[in-house]
Amino acid sequence: MVVKKPRIVIIGAGMAGLTAANKLHTMTASKDMFELCVVEGGTRIGGRINTSEFGGDKIEMGATWIHGIGGSPIHKIAQKIHSLESNQPWECMDGNLDEPITIAEGGFIIKPSIVDPITMLFNTLMDHAQGKKLSDSASDTENSELHSYYHKLAAKASNLSTTKSVGSFLRQGLDGYWSSGSEKNQEEELKGYGKWNRKLLEEGIFTMHENTQRTYTSSGDILTLDYRAESEYQMFPGEEITIAKGYLSIIESLASVLPPGTVQLGRKVTRIEWQAERNHEPMNVENGYCSRPVKLHFCDGSVMCADHVIVTVSLGVLKAAIHDDSGMFYPPLPSFKVKAISRLGFGVVNKLFMQLSSTYERKHEQSKGLFPSLQMVFHSPNSEMRHKKIPWWMRRTASLSPIYNNSSVLLSWFAGEEALALESLKDEEIIDGVSTTLSSFLSDKLCNGNLNSEKSNEYEVKFNKVLRTDWGTDPLFLGSYSYVAVGSSGDDLDAMAEPLPKEKALASPPLQILFAGEATHRTHYSTTHGAYFSGLREANRLLQYYHCLEI
């Protein structure tokens, strides 16, 4: 009798799935231990990593940054394969670009003396929420005193009984700032700012930073972002950088070791049958029988049996699966898994790329910069002072910047409801909405990044084309990345990582369904390196089970 090799099927050819496949293959290829297969529902590898081009520049439709280079496995791979240098222009090649101009609706450039204290307050509050100690980076006494003062405000806000979300904590910190004795000048009218007073400007600047934070976390509303869990999230030290040759180069490197045919594209799984308890009879597969405990059904009607399946689909897909009457899993997932999937947050973040028109480029080709890096401070949506023609979806984006200095491609980030709205808009509606916004903010006076009242009517911005991502409605993802929502905790992330069946029941084959992906990592969720670590974890779990790896 021929003994069959264990068959391991990995669902999803993103960072987690290909990391697991890479590890399993490199550790056991010489022993020819497993049948290994990666099935991908889409037509490409990479998952939420998707390097592309727009306007002649390399861009990232999905994952963009290596979040800290100190100890990052992604950075190590990028170094090893020489992906950090390129002759072709790429997104964020200048890091954080030039110092942005902070400008208020109506065309008012806000002085650093107003912007900087609120920015420092916001950053200090976030440092406190994330468990960072009082920064000693401020070299002068005044900044050190301010940091200490803001940390005291943060400590006071965190002790309030209403502090359940990051959003409520931030607002309590801002209220504390306003009521701390310096509020006497908050309502004063400022010269040169129209109907804006100091408190309205500070409110708008603070909101701008909140909107940026929403894109960092993918929480459409930071009032849904759990405060207690925020300090569990871990960042690598060092700078945050992009990958010159594209994030896809990391994916291609991981996949390059796999034998031809290991990765199968266009193989969308519609149903996963597993055995919570061992059936008395083997599964019937067409004309024969399947002795393996898991059976996968594909959209084309074909099936595949496996001993172990590593599921790396997004949390968004899992959320849809537990509410789908057809049932992606049969029998349905156990309640502990369903509760974790339900409680955790999974949001939408989309990027909007816009190419400046060729006439605009020619007009400004002699200038030092085609377009300035803008931070935008809006009136509140219900304010009578707001520009009525600025669309609502623009009011919750925080910035509009070239993707690198002097690039003709501009980038803006969107999260939550406006990110979803962006996916349904026509290109002409987007161009019109952005142009209307810029007409209010630039107010015909911001020329080549400088305020110049003598050059009115010369600053007209036109776009050739736009490109927006669609992570929210893409059925293979249904969102961007996970966060710990109010009502959930890091324990839910751990529950996500639990293999099935959970109990080592004598009646059921072990490790039938394993779970990997960024939403299964307690301290590095929402990141590519979190997905990488999770893929390693599940590969190692199987290698330990088959005694290929020391525990």
Side-chain angles (χ1 to χ4, degrees):
M1 179 179 176
V2 178
V3 178
K4 291 183 178 179
K5 291 182 290 187
R7 180 182 292 159
I8 302 172
V9 179
I10 299 169
I11 302 177
M15 179 65 80
L18 289 177
T19 298
N22 178 290
K23 180 70 173 180
L24 288 166
H25 176 75
T26 54
M27 288 294 291
T28 64
S30 61
K31 303 173 186 176
D32 194 27
M33 283 196 61
F34 302 128
E35 285 184 27
L36 182 62
C37 180
V38 181
V39 292
E40 165 58 49
T43 58
R44 60 175 180 82
I45 63 172
R48 283 168 274 175
I49 292 170
N50 186 10
T51 303
S52 187
E53 286 197 11
F54 180 71
D57 291 332
K58 189 180 290 291
I59 61 167
E60 301 288 3
M61 301 283 280
T64 303
W65 299 94
I66 295 177
H67 292 291
I69 62 176
S72 167
I74 309 302
H75 184 247
K76 289 177 183 176
I77 296 172
Q79 282 183 313
K80 182 179 178 181
I81 63 176
H82 308 290
S83 280
L84 298 177
E85 298 293 334
S86 172
N87 293 325
Q88 182 184 2
W90 72 89
E91 184 181 345
C92 299
M93 62 187 286
D94 300 308
N96 292 322
L97 305 172
D98 292 335
E99 191 66 27
I101 297 168
T102 305
I103 188 166
E105 186 175 342
F108 306 103
I109 294 180
I110 310 175
K111 298 175 183 177
S113 60
I114 300 173
V115 177
D116 292 350
I118 299 300
T119 298
M120 185 185 294
L121 170 65
F122 186 90
N123 290 339
T124 306
L125 289 169
M126 284 307 306
D127 283 349
H128 189 92
Q130 292 165 355
K132 298 175 184 176
K133 294 181 181 178
L134 177 60
S135 174
D136 58 359
S137 60
S139 56
D140 58 273
T141 305
E142 181 182 0
N143 273 352
S144 296
E145 291 176 354
L146 273 176
H147 273 286
S148 178
Y149 171 61
Y150 291 158
H151 263 279
K152 288 178 181 177
L153 289 177
K156 185 176 180 181
S158 67
N159 289 329
L160 295 175
S161 60
T162 52
T163 304
K164 292 181 172 59
S165 70
V166 171
S168 62
F169 165 73
L170 289 171
R171 283 292 157 163
Q172 284 157 192
L174 180 61
D175 289 342
Y177 171 81
W178 280 335
S179 62
S180 61
S182 60
E183 75 282 2
K184 57 184 178 181
N185 295 322
Q186 300 301 331
E187 299 292 349
E188 68 179 84
E189 293 290 337
L190 300 178
K191 292 182 180 180
Y193 288 94
K195 294 182 180 180
W196 288 94
N197 61 40
R198 190 180 186 96
K199 188 170 185 178
L200 285 175
L201 284 174
E202 290 178 341
E203 159 78 20
I205 295 164
F206 200 86
T207 300
M208 176 186 74
H209 289 304
E210 288 177 318
N211 286 333
T212 299
Q213 195 64 34
R214 291 190 308 116
T215 65
Y216 291 165
T217 61
S218 92
S219 55
D221 184 343
I222 54 176
L223 288 172
T224 66
L225 191 63
D226 189 77
Y227 176 75
R228 293 168 302 172
E230 190 67 19
S231 59
E232 276 199 84
Y233 185 84
Q234 292 181 7
M235 291 278 288
F236 287 121
E239 61 181 327
E240 297 190 69
I241 63 172
T242 53
I243 302 174
K245 289 195 171 90
Y247 235 114
L248 195 59
S249 65
I250 306 295
I251 290 292
E252 290 170 341
S253 174
L254 290 168
S256 65
V257 306
L258 302 175
T262 302
V263 179
Q264 301 177 14
L265 300 178
R267 298 275 279 159
K268 185 177 181 181
V269 175
T270 57
R271 192 174 179 86
I272 302 171
E273 288 187 46
W274 60 292
Q275 297 180 21
E277 296 180 5
R278 183 180 290 279
N279 295 330
H280 295 294
E281 297 181 5
M283 291 182 179
N284 189 346
V285 181
E286 295 179 354
N287 297 323
Y289 288 90
C290 176
S291 61
R292 305 182 194 271
V294 187
K295 181 166 68 170
L296 302 178
H297 297 254
F298 296 91
C299 59
D300 62 1
S302 63
V303 297
M304 181 186 297
C305 294
D307 295 282
H308 312 284
V309 173
I310 304 178
V311 176
T312 73
V313 299
S314 76
L315 177 58
V317 171
L318 291 175
K319 281 180 175 290
I322 63 173
H323 295 110
D324 186 355
D325 291 339
S326 63
M328 182 179 180
F329 294 90
Y330 183 80
L333 294 174
S335 61
F336 84 92
K337 188 77 75 170
V338 171
K339 289 176 181 177
I341 292 170
S342 298
R343 286 191 291 246
L344 287 168
F346 192 74
V348 183
V349 176
N350 277 320
K351 299 166 80 171
L352 172 63
F353 298 94
M354 296 156 284
Q355 186 182 33
L356 292 166
S357 68
S358 54
T359 54
Y360 178 91
E361 289 187 68
R362 286 195 298 271
K363 187 174 180 180
H364 295 273
E365 63 186 355
Q366 301 301 322
S367 64
K368 293 182 180 179
L370 279 175
F371 192 90
S373 180
L374 299 179
Q375 290 187 141
M376 297 182 291
V377 175
F378 290 91
H379 283 299
S380 66
N382 299 319
S383 170
E384 288 300 316
M385 292 180 285
R386 76 188 190 282
H387 189 306
K388 303 299 191 296
K389 291 186 178 180
I390 293 177
W392 68 271
W393 48 267
M394 277 299 295
R395 289 193 170 277
R396 295 186 77 196
T397 188
S399 62
L400 181 66
S401 304
I403 61 171
Y404 58 84
N405 289 326
N406 300 331
S407 174
S408 64
V409 175
L410 308 184
L411 169 63
S412 200
W413 293 73
F414 296 80
E417 285 184 72
E418 67 272 21
L420 275 174
L422 196 69
E423 298 186 27
S424 63
L425 294 174
K426 297 178 181 178
D427 288 1
E428 294 77 13
E429 292 176 296
I430 294 173
I431 290 173
D432 183 62
V434 174
S435 299
T436 299
T437 304
L438 288 177
S439 70
S440 171
F441 274 78
L442 300 181
S443 192
D444 295 332
K445 294 184 292 186
L446 191 63
C447 299
N448 305 325
N450 299 300
L451 188 64
N452 191 332
S453 59
E454 297 178 0
K455 294 188 177 182
S456 62
N457 299 320
E458 288 189 12
Y459 202 92
E460 185 179 8
V461 182
K462 292 185 177 181
F463 301 103
N464 276 342
K465 57 182 179 179
V466 299
L467 175 68
R468 94 299 297 272
T469 57
D470 59 354
W471 297 108
T473 53
D474 189 320
L476 294 176
F477 306 101
L478 299 177
S480 300
Y481 34 93
S482 62
Y483 64 94
V484 181
V486 172
S488 62
S489 70
D491 291 344
D492 288 326
L493 291 160
D494 285 342
M496 290 291 298
E498 284 276 356
L500 298 177
K502 184 178 180 181
E503 303 297 334
K504 292 183 178 180
L506 295 177
S508 297
L511 302 181
Q512 293 176 42
I513 306 178
L514 302 89
F515 294 84
E518 52 85 13
T520 71
H521 199 289
R522 183 167 188 141
T523 58
H524 291 293
Y525 54 90
S526 82
T527 65
T528 53
H529 58 261
Y532 179 91
F533 286 140
S534 74
L536 280 186
R537 180 192 66 222
E538 298 312 310
N540 288 339
R541 195 191 301 272
L542 288 172
L543 290 170
Q544 288 170 7
Y545 176 72
Y546 286 103
H547 307 292
C548 302
L549 195 68
E550 293 295 328
I551 298 176

